[in-house]
mmCIF file of all heavy atoms in Angstrom:
data_model
loop_
_atom_site.group_PDB
_atom_site.id
_atom_site.type_symbol
_atom_site.label_atom_id
_atom_site.label_comp_id
_atom_site.label_asym_id
_atom_site.label_seq_id
_atom_site.Cartn_x
_atom_site.Cartn_y
_atom_site.Cartn_z
ATOM 1 N N VAL A 1 -121.312 85.770 204.864
ATOM 2 C CA VAL A 1 -121.787 84.842 203.843
ATOM 3 C C VAL A 1 -121.872 85.491 202.450
ATOM 4 O O VAL A 1 -121.449 84.885 201.465
ATOM 5 C CB VAL A 1 -123.192 84.284 204.280
ATOM 6 C CG1 VAL A 1 -123.781 83.463 203.103
ATOM 7 C CG2 VAL A 1 -123.079 83.436 205.509
ATOM 8 N N VAL A 2 -122.396 86.699 202.415
ATOM 9 C CA VAL A 2 -122.520 87.394 201.110
ATOM 10 C C VAL A 2 -121.150 87.687 200.551
ATOM 11 O O VAL A 2 -120.899 87.475 199.323
ATOM 12 C CB VAL A 2 -123.334 88.648 201.259
ATOM 13 C CG1 VAL A 2 -123.306 89.493 200.002
ATOM 14 C CG2 VAL A 2 -124.795 88.333 201.599
ATOM 15 N N VAL A 3 -120.236 88.187 201.337
ATOM 16 C CA VAL A 3 -118.861 88.478 200.841
ATOM 17 C C VAL A 3 -118.204 87.208 200.357
ATOM 18 O O VAL A 3 -117.538 87.194 199.288
ATOM 19 C CB VAL A 3 -118.053 89.187 201.977
ATOM 20 C CG1 VAL A 3 -116.569 89.260 201.541
ATOM 21 C CG2 VAL A 3 -118.601 90.576 202.225
ATOM 22 N N ALA A 4 -118.338 86.139 201.114
ATOM 23 C CA ALA A 4 -117.701 84.881 200.743
ATOM 24 C C ALA A 4 -118.308 84.343 199.412
ATOM 25 O O ALA A 4 -117.565 83.901 198.527
ATOM 26 C CB ALA A 4 -117.851 83.833 201.846
ATOM 27 N N MET A 5 -119.649 84.432 199.347
ATOM 28 C CA MET A 5 -120.277 83.873 198.119
ATOM 29 C C MET A 5 -119.934 84.735 196.905
ATOM 30 O O MET A 5 -119.614 84.200 195.814
ATOM 31 C CB MET A 5 -121.794 83.887 198.356
ATOM 32 C CG MET A 5 -122.275 82.732 199.157
ATOM 33 S SD MET A 5 -122.024 81.159 198.285
ATOM 34 C CE MET A 5 -122.823 80.021 199.455
ATOM 35 N N PHE A 6 -119.914 86.002 197.048
ATOM 36 C CA PHE A 6 -119.611 86.878 195.881
ATOM 37 C C PHE A 6 -118.080 86.852 195.595
ATOM 38 O O PHE A 6 -117.693 86.997 194.418
ATOM 39 C CB PHE A 6 -120.058 88.319 196.149
ATOM 40 C CG PHE A 6 -121.478 88.574 195.758
ATOM 41 C CD1 PHE A 6 -122.515 88.451 196.704
ATOM 42 C CD2 PHE A 6 -121.821 88.910 194.452
ATOM 43 C CE1 PHE A 6 -123.831 88.643 196.326
ATOM 44 C CE2 PHE A 6 -123.133 89.146 194.121
ATOM 45 C CZ PHE A 6 -124.142 88.984 195.075
ATOM 46 N N GLY A 7 -117.284 86.627 196.588
ATOM 47 C CA GLY A 7 -115.869 86.428 196.309
ATOM 48 C C GLY A 7 -115.577 85.201 195.499
ATOM 49 O O GLY A 7 -114.836 85.212 194.520
ATOM 50 N N TRP A 8 -116.286 84.135 195.900
ATOM 51 C CA TRP A 8 -116.151 82.879 195.137
ATOM 52 C C TRP A 8 -116.753 83.085 193.799
ATOM 53 O O TRP A 8 -116.221 82.583 192.780
ATOM 54 C CB TRP A 8 -116.916 81.769 195.911
ATOM 55 C CG TRP A 8 -117.059 80.517 195.111
ATOM 56 C CD1 TRP A 8 -116.059 79.598 194.784
ATOM 57 C CD2 TRP A 8 -118.274 80.009 194.508
ATOM 58 N NE1 TRP A 8 -116.555 78.621 194.057
ATOM 59 C CE2 TRP A 8 -117.896 78.805 193.834
ATOM 60 C CE3 TRP A 8 -119.552 80.493 194.459
ATOM 61 C CZ2 TRP A 8 -118.867 78.056 193.149
ATOM 62 C CZ3 TRP A 8 -120.484 79.685 193.782
ATOM 63 C CH2 TRP A 8 -120.158 78.496 193.157
ATOM 64 N N LEU A 9 -117.853 83.816 193.627
ATOM 65 C CA LEU A 9 -118.499 84.027 192.345
ATOM 66 C C LEU A 9 -117.587 84.844 191.407
ATOM 67 O O LEU A 9 -117.433 84.496 190.224
ATOM 68 C CB LEU A 9 -119.838 84.747 192.529
ATOM 69 C CG LEU A 9 -120.634 85.073 191.261
ATOM 70 C CD1 LEU A 9 -121.023 83.811 190.541
ATOM 71 C CD2 LEU A 9 -121.873 85.892 191.583
ATOM 72 N N PHE A 10 -116.938 85.888 191.950
ATOM 73 C CA PHE A 10 -116.063 86.688 191.114
ATOM 74 C C PHE A 10 -114.828 85.891 190.681
ATOM 75 O O PHE A 10 -114.307 86.057 189.564
ATOM 76 C CB PHE A 10 -115.625 87.973 191.866
ATOM 77 C CG PHE A 10 -116.627 89.051 191.849
ATOM 78 C CD1 PHE A 10 -117.235 89.519 193.012
ATOM 79 C CD2 PHE A 10 -117.054 89.639 190.651
ATOM 80 C CE1 PHE A 10 -118.171 90.518 193.024
ATOM 81 C CE2 PHE A 10 -118.003 90.612 190.628
ATOM 82 C CZ PHE A 10 -118.589 91.078 191.832
ATOM 83 N N TRP A 11 -114.401 85.008 191.528
ATOM 84 C CA TRP A 11 -113.266 84.141 191.160
ATOM 85 C C TRP A 11 -113.649 83.260 189.970
ATOM 86 O O TRP A 11 -112.916 83.129 189.018
ATOM 87 C CB TRP A 11 -112.839 83.314 192.346
ATOM 88 C CG TRP A 11 -111.890 82.189 191.989
ATOM 89 C CD1 TRP A 11 -112.152 80.867 191.917
ATOM 90 C CD2 TRP A 11 -110.487 82.312 191.687
ATOM 91 N NE1 TRP A 11 -111.064 80.184 191.546
ATOM 92 C CE2 TRP A 11 -110.009 81.052 191.396
ATOM 93 C CE3 TRP A 11 -109.619 83.392 191.617
ATOM 94 C CZ2 TRP A 11 -108.679 80.764 191.101
ATOM 95 C CZ3 TRP A 11 -108.312 83.196 191.267
ATOM 96 C CH2 TRP A 11 -107.873 81.881 191.024
ATOM 97 N N GLU A 12 -114.875 82.697 190.034
ATOM 98 C CA GLU A 12 -115.337 81.855 188.965
ATOM 99 C C GLU A 12 -115.580 82.648 187.708
ATOM 100 O O GLU A 12 -115.350 82.147 186.573
ATOM 101 C CB GLU A 12 -116.612 81.089 189.374
ATOM 102 C CG GLU A 12 -116.390 80.059 190.479
ATOM 103 C CD GLU A 12 -115.458 78.963 190.005
ATOM 104 O OE1 GLU A 12 -115.532 78.554 188.797
ATOM 105 O OE2 GLU A 12 -114.687 78.419 190.833
ATOM 106 N N ILE A 13 -116.120 83.862 187.869
ATOM 107 C CA ILE A 13 -116.314 84.718 186.667
ATOM 108 C C ILE A 13 -114.996 85.063 186.015
ATOM 109 O O ILE A 13 -114.921 85.074 184.785
ATOM 110 C CB ILE A 13 -117.065 85.947 187.112
ATOM 111 C CG1 ILE A 13 -118.494 85.642 187.502
ATOM 112 C CG2 ILE A 13 -117.089 86.995 185.952
ATOM 113 C CD1 ILE A 13 -119.296 86.802 188.050
ATOM 114 N N THR A 14 -114.020 85.354 186.766
ATOM 115 C CA THR A 14 -112.685 85.691 186.211
ATOM 116 C C THR A 14 -112.155 84.534 185.429
ATOM 117 O O THR A 14 -111.575 84.646 184.356
ATOM 118 C CB THR A 14 -111.715 86.115 187.350
ATOM 119 O OG1 THR A 14 -112.291 87.166 188.076
ATOM 120 C CG2 THR A 14 -110.396 86.487 186.773
ATOM 121 N N ARG A 15 -112.294 83.298 185.966
ATOM 122 C CA ARG A 15 -111.796 82.139 185.262
ATOM 123 C C ARG A 15 -112.596 81.958 183.987
ATOM 124 O O ARG A 15 -112.042 81.639 182.894
ATOM 125 C CB ARG A 15 -111.950 80.904 186.142
ATOM 126 C CG ARG A 15 -110.981 80.839 187.297
ATOM 127 C CD ARG A 15 -111.205 79.561 188.103
ATOM 128 N NE ARG A 15 -111.202 78.405 187.199
ATOM 129 C CZ ARG A 15 -111.739 77.266 187.529
ATOM 130 N NH1 ARG A 15 -112.324 77.065 188.696
ATOM 131 N NH2 ARG A 15 -111.655 76.201 186.696
ATOM 132 N N ALA A 16 -113.958 82.166 184.057
ATOM 133 C CA ALA A 16 -114.770 81.906 182.881
ATOM 134 C C ALA A 16 -114.506 82.955 181.789
ATOM 135 O O ALA A 16 -114.734 82.664 180.596
ATOM 136 C CB ALA A 16 -116.230 81.954 183.292
ATOM 137 N N ALA A 17 -114.085 84.160 182.191
ATOM 138 C CA ALA A 17 -113.892 85.192 181.209
ATOM 139 C C ALA A 17 -112.780 84.849 180.227
ATOM 140 O O ALA A 17 -112.810 85.303 179.058
ATOM 141 C CB ALA A 17 -113.583 86.524 181.899
ATOM 142 N N PHE A 18 -111.815 84.029 180.682
ATOM 143 C CA PHE A 18 -110.700 83.678 179.784
ATOM 144 C C PHE A 18 -110.827 82.236 179.340
ATOM 145 O O PHE A 18 -109.891 81.669 178.771
ATOM 146 C CB PHE A 18 -109.367 83.828 180.590
ATOM 147 C CG PHE A 18 -109.100 85.249 181.015
ATOM 148 C CD1 PHE A 18 -109.407 85.698 182.279
ATOM 149 C CD2 PHE A 18 -108.566 86.137 180.084
ATOM 150 C CE1 PHE A 18 -109.178 86.960 182.665
ATOM 151 C CE2 PHE A 18 -108.322 87.469 180.478
ATOM 152 C CZ PHE A 18 -108.632 87.911 181.753
ATOM 153 N N ASP A 19 -111.985 81.600 179.480
ATOM 154 C CA ASP A 19 -112.156 80.250 179.048
ATOM 155 C C ASP A 19 -112.905 80.298 177.688
ATOM 156 O O ASP A 19 -114.059 80.546 177.591
ATOM 157 C CB ASP A 19 -113.016 79.539 180.082
ATOM 158 C CG ASP A 19 -113.096 77.996 179.776
ATOM 159 O OD1 ASP A 19 -112.545 77.588 178.754
ATOM 160 O OD2 ASP A 19 -113.692 77.260 180.598
ATOM 161 N N THR A 20 -112.115 80.020 176.641
ATOM 162 C CA THR A 20 -112.626 80.063 175.301
ATOM 163 C C THR A 20 -113.456 78.829 174.940
ATOM 164 O O THR A 20 -114.092 78.790 173.902
ATOM 165 C CB THR A 20 -111.500 80.237 174.245
ATOM 166 O OG1 THR A 20 -110.597 79.085 174.445
ATOM 167 C CG2 THR A 20 -110.752 81.524 174.492
ATOM 168 N N SER A 21 -113.398 77.863 175.839
ATOM 169 C CA SER A 21 -114.165 76.616 175.525
ATOM 170 C C SER A 21 -115.653 76.795 175.685
ATOM 171 O O SER A 21 -116.456 75.956 175.281
ATOM 172 C CB SER A 21 -113.692 75.454 176.429
ATOM 173 O OG SER A 21 -113.962 75.803 177.800
ATOM 174 N N LEU A 22 -116.057 77.918 176.286
ATOM 175 C CA LEU A 22 -117.516 78.149 176.450
ATOM 176 C C LEU A 22 -118.197 78.512 175.171
ATOM 177 O O LEU A 22 -119.431 78.458 175.072
ATOM 178 C CB LEU A 22 -117.726 79.293 177.497
ATOM 179 C CG LEU A 22 -117.301 78.982 178.917
ATOM 180 C CD1 LEU A 22 -117.445 80.216 179.796
ATOM 181 C CD2 LEU A 22 -118.059 77.824 179.471
ATOM 182 N N ALA A 23 -117.408 78.895 174.111
ATOM 183 C CA ALA A 23 -118.010 79.273 172.841
ATOM 184 C C ALA A 23 -117.550 78.262 171.751
ATOM 185 O O ALA A 23 -116.403 77.835 171.742
ATOM 186 C CB ALA A 23 -117.595 80.711 172.441
ATOM 187 N N PRO A 24 -118.419 77.907 170.852
ATOM 188 C CA PRO A 24 -117.972 77.025 169.761
ATOM 189 C C PRO A 24 -116.888 77.689 168.931
ATOM 190 O O PRO A 24 -116.797 78.900 168.856
ATOM 191 C CB PRO A 24 -119.317 76.813 168.949
ATOM 192 C CG PRO A 24 -120.377 77.176 169.914
ATOM 193 C CD PRO A 24 -119.807 78.199 170.807
ATOM 194 N N GLU A 25 -116.054 76.838 168.325
ATOM 195 C CA GLU A 25 -114.890 77.353 167.595
ATOM 196 C C GLU A 25 -115.310 78.127 166.380
ATOM 197 O O GLU A 25 -114.646 79.074 165.934
ATOM 198 C CB GLU A 25 -114.017 76.175 167.151
ATOM 199 C CG GLU A 25 -113.352 75.458 168.357
ATOM 200 C CD GLU A 25 -112.452 74.311 167.888
ATOM 201 O OE1 GLU A 25 -112.412 74.121 166.646
ATOM 202 O OE2 GLU A 25 -111.822 73.673 168.754
ATOM 203 N N ASP A 26 -116.440 77.770 165.749
ATOM 204 C CA ASP A 26 -116.858 78.456 164.527
ATOM 205 C C ASP A 26 -117.749 79.655 164.770
ATOM 206 O O ASP A 26 -118.287 80.251 163.837
ATOM 207 C CB ASP A 26 -117.624 77.459 163.605
ATOM 208 C CG ASP A 26 -118.820 76.870 164.304
ATOM 209 O OD1 ASP A 26 -118.887 77.042 165.541
ATOM 210 O OD2 ASP A 26 -119.652 76.243 163.626
ATOM 211 N N SER A 27 -117.938 80.038 166.055
ATOM 212 C CA SER A 27 -118.773 81.215 166.380
ATOM 213 C C SER A 27 -117.905 82.441 166.581
ATOM 214 O O SER A 27 -116.800 82.314 167.080
ATOM 215 C CB SER A 27 -119.623 80.949 167.603
ATOM 216 O OG SER A 27 -118.745 80.790 168.737
ATOM 217 N N GLY A 28 -118.423 83.572 166.265
ATOM 218 C CA GLY A 28 -117.734 84.813 166.513
ATOM 219 C C GLY A 28 -117.975 85.381 167.910
ATOM 220 O O GLY A 28 -118.915 84.977 168.564
ATOM 221 N N ILE A 29 -117.116 86.244 168.349
ATOM 222 C CA ILE A 29 -117.221 86.858 169.650
ATOM 223 C C ILE A 29 -118.205 88.109 169.488
ATOM 224 O O ILE A 29 -117.985 88.965 168.683
ATOM 225 C CB ILE A 29 -115.896 87.303 170.157
ATOM 226 C CG1 ILE A 29 -114.931 86.069 170.270
ATOM 227 C CG2 ILE A 29 -116.051 87.994 171.499
ATOM 228 C CD1 ILE A 29 -115.448 85.043 171.238
ATOM 229 N N GLY A 30 -119.236 88.119 170.280
ATOM 230 C CA GLY A 30 -120.191 89.204 170.206
ATOM 231 C C GLY A 30 -119.763 90.411 171.007
ATOM 232 O O GLY A 30 -118.547 90.579 171.252
ATOM 233 N N LEU A 31 -120.716 91.225 171.401
ATOM 234 C CA LEU A 31 -120.419 92.423 172.133
ATOM 235 C C LEU A 31 -119.734 92.083 173.494
ATOM 236 O O LEU A 31 -118.893 92.859 173.923
ATOM 237 C CB LEU A 31 -121.695 93.286 172.350
ATOM 238 C CG LEU A 31 -121.524 94.602 173.119
ATOM 239 C CD1 LEU A 31 -120.607 95.551 172.261
ATOM 240 C CD2 LEU A 31 -122.869 95.244 173.338
ATOM 241 N N ILE A 32 -120.208 91.071 174.122
ATOM 242 C CA ILE A 32 -119.679 90.633 175.421
ATOM 243 C C ILE A 32 -119.219 89.182 175.267
ATOM 244 O O ILE A 32 -119.905 88.363 174.660
ATOM 245 C CB ILE A 32 -120.726 90.775 176.535
ATOM 246 C CG1 ILE A 32 -121.211 92.205 176.635
ATOM 247 C CG2 ILE A 32 -120.138 90.259 177.864
ATOM 248 C CD1 ILE A 32 -122.310 92.390 177.637
ATOM 249 N N ALA A 33 -118.051 88.904 175.810
ATOM 250 C CA ALA A 33 -117.540 87.533 175.757
ATOM 251 C C ALA A 33 -118.507 86.603 176.463
ATOM 252 O O ALA A 33 -119.139 86.966 177.450
ATOM 253 C CB ALA A 33 -116.166 87.486 176.393
ATOM 254 N N PRO A 34 -118.624 85.341 175.968
ATOM 255 C CA PRO A 34 -119.521 84.407 176.608
ATOM 256 C C PRO A 34 -119.307 84.230 178.090
ATOM 257 O O PRO A 34 -120.242 84.173 178.883
ATOM 258 C CB PRO A 34 -119.296 83.119 175.812
ATOM 259 C CG PRO A 34 -118.783 83.579 174.519
ATOM 260 C CD PRO A 34 -117.975 84.798 174.783
ATOM 261 N N GLY A 35 -118.067 84.092 178.477
ATOM 262 C CA GLY A 35 -117.753 83.942 179.925
ATOM 263 C C GLY A 35 -118.194 85.100 180.738
ATOM 264 O O GLY A 35 -118.757 84.968 181.855
ATOM 265 N N VAL A 36 -117.941 86.328 180.213
ATOM 266 C CA VAL A 36 -118.359 87.532 180.967
ATOM 267 C C VAL A 36 -119.841 87.622 181.028
ATOM 268 O O VAL A 36 -120.412 88.023 182.025
ATOM 269 C CB VAL A 36 -117.758 88.760 180.252
ATOM 270 C CG1 VAL A 36 -118.229 90.036 180.954
ATOM 271 C CG2 VAL A 36 -116.219 88.706 180.273
ATOM 272 N N ALA A 37 -120.537 87.278 179.935
ATOM 273 C CA ALA A 37 -122.008 87.359 179.955
ATOM 274 C C ALA A 37 -122.606 86.403 180.955
ATOM 275 O O ALA A 37 -123.570 86.790 181.724
ATOM 276 C CB ALA A 37 -122.557 87.000 178.540
ATOM 277 N N ILE A 38 -122.060 85.188 181.038
ATOM 278 C CA ILE A 38 -122.558 84.259 182.047
ATOM 279 C C ILE A 38 -122.274 84.777 183.436
ATOM 280 O O ILE A 38 -123.082 84.674 184.334
ATOM 281 C CB ILE A 38 -121.885 82.870 181.835
ATOM 282 C CG1 ILE A 38 -122.342 82.275 180.501
ATOM 283 C CG2 ILE A 38 -122.230 81.941 182.962
ATOM 284 C CD1 ILE A 38 -121.656 80.977 180.116
ATOM 285 N N GLY A 39 -121.136 85.415 183.602
ATOM 286 C CA GLY A 39 -120.790 85.957 184.894
ATOM 287 C C GLY A 39 -121.706 87.080 185.358
ATOM 288 O O GLY A 39 -122.129 87.176 186.489
ATOM 289 N N LEU A 40 -122.053 87.964 184.359
ATOM 290 C CA LEU A 40 -122.941 89.080 184.701
ATOM 291 C C LEU A 40 -124.325 88.556 185.058
ATOM 292 O O LEU A 40 -124.998 89.131 185.982
ATOM 293 C CB LEU A 40 -123.054 90.051 183.507
ATOM 294 C CG LEU A 40 -121.751 90.849 183.202
ATOM 295 C CD1 LEU A 40 -121.945 91.709 181.950
ATOM 296 C CD2 LEU A 40 -121.416 91.714 184.409
ATOM 297 N N ILE A 41 -124.778 87.551 184.311
ATOM 298 C CA ILE A 41 -126.092 86.953 184.620
ATOM 299 C C ILE A 41 -126.045 86.402 186.105
ATOM 300 O O ILE A 41 -127.007 86.563 186.856
ATOM 301 C CB ILE A 41 -126.460 85.874 183.618
ATOM 302 C CG1 ILE A 41 -126.737 86.551 182.272
ATOM 303 C CG2 ILE A 41 -127.669 85.132 184.084
ATOM 304 C CD1 ILE A 41 -126.975 85.536 181.147
ATOM 305 N N SER A 42 -124.986 85.735 186.365
ATOM 306 C CA SER A 42 -124.820 85.153 187.760
ATOM 307 C C SER A 42 -124.785 86.249 188.857
ATOM 308 O O SER A 42 -125.378 86.062 189.885
ATOM 309 C CB SER A 42 -123.564 84.304 187.830
ATOM 310 O OG SER A 42 -123.599 83.261 186.861
ATOM 311 N N ILE A 43 -124.144 87.368 188.553
ATOM 312 C CA ILE A 43 -124.055 88.479 189.552
ATOM 313 C C ILE A 43 -125.444 89.031 189.795
ATOM 314 O O ILE A 43 -125.883 89.198 190.934
ATOM 315 C CB ILE A 43 -123.120 89.551 189.028
ATOM 316 C CG1 ILE A 43 -121.668 89.050 189.079
ATOM 317 C CG2 ILE A 43 -123.246 90.808 189.881
ATOM 318 C CD1 ILE A 43 -120.655 90.022 188.487
ATOM 319 N N VAL A 44 -126.191 89.329 188.691
ATOM 320 C CA VAL A 44 -127.542 89.921 188.855
ATOM 321 C C VAL A 44 -128.434 88.910 189.631
ATOM 322 O O VAL A 44 -129.187 89.254 190.551
ATOM 323 C CB VAL A 44 -128.144 90.257 187.504
ATOM 324 C CG1 VAL A 44 -129.588 90.676 187.684
ATOM 325 C CG2 VAL A 44 -127.330 91.381 186.860
ATOM 326 N N THR A 45 -128.353 87.631 189.236
ATOM 327 C CA THR A 45 -129.151 86.639 189.898
ATOM 328 C C THR A 45 -128.872 86.537 191.368
ATOM 329 O O THR A 45 -129.759 86.464 192.230
ATOM 330 C CB THR A 45 -128.956 85.281 189.232
ATOM 331 O OG1 THR A 45 -129.307 85.390 187.824
ATOM 332 C CG2 THR A 45 -129.844 84.215 189.859
ATOM 333 N N ASN A 46 -127.602 86.548 191.717
ATOM 334 C CA ASN A 46 -127.205 86.370 193.141
ATOM 335 C C ASN A 46 -127.533 87.638 193.950
ATOM 336 O O ASN A 46 -127.824 87.544 195.149
ATOM 337 C CB ASN A 46 -125.755 86.037 193.231
ATOM 338 C CG ASN A 46 -125.435 84.585 192.959
ATOM 339 O OD1 ASN A 46 -125.520 83.743 193.857
ATOM 340 N ND2 ASN A 46 -125.104 84.248 191.703
ATOM 341 N N ILE A 47 -127.427 88.843 193.293
ATOM 342 C CA ILE A 47 -127.833 90.018 194.020
ATOM 343 C C ILE A 47 -129.274 89.979 194.440
ATOM 344 O O ILE A 47 -129.644 90.245 195.567
ATOM 345 C CB ILE A 47 -127.528 91.289 193.187
ATOM 346 C CG1 ILE A 47 -125.997 91.518 193.078
ATOM 347 C CG2 ILE A 47 -128.212 92.522 193.758
ATOM 348 C CD1 ILE A 47 -125.596 92.680 192.157
ATOM 349 N N LEU A 48 -130.098 89.635 193.454
ATOM 350 C CA LEU A 48 -131.556 89.524 193.772
ATOM 351 C C LEU A 48 -131.824 88.398 194.790
ATOM 352 O O LEU A 48 -132.669 88.511 195.670
ATOM 353 C CB LEU A 48 -132.358 89.239 192.475
ATOM 354 C CG LEU A 48 -132.311 90.346 191.426
ATOM 355 C CD1 LEU A 48 -133.023 89.919 190.157
ATOM 356 C CD2 LEU A 48 -132.913 91.593 191.965
#
């Protein structure tokens, strides 16, 4: 179950990392891309 859930989560994180629609067009890119930041938050949350 954990491997399946995290496999699905990493797949979604990979897709989100290249999805520029998550950030407004007039906003700049910070230290971490918005998709990657959302993915990292999801990873930490799911680990706990």
